[in-house]
Amino acid sequence: MTHHPIAPNAADVEVATATDPIETVVNVIPVVIPAVGAIMIFLLAMIAVFMA
């Protein structure tokens, strides 16, 4: 009969507590997308003024 410990070993605990990089990015998306959009609109407007 094999022995099965009830407590998880150190490798399982490390994997369970590791932070997911996608979770850190998702929290920043509502700030980054509008900021990048504003920069893009400004750059496109600047290009249109210099081309005219």
Side-chain angles (χ1 to χ4, degrees):
M1 185 163 36
T2 59
H3 176 67
H4 297 288
I6 295 173
N9 58 15
D12 292 339
V13 172
E14 182 178 335
V15 170
T17 58
T19 57
D20 188 14
I22 295 176
E23 289 181 6
T24 58
V25 172
V26 167
N27 293 331
V28 186
I29 287 176
V31 176
V32 171
I33 290 179
V36 171
I39 293 170
M40 290 292 293
I41 289 172
F42 175 75
L43 289 174
L44 289 171
M46 191 173 62
I47 291 170
V49 167
F50 283 121
M51 294 279 296

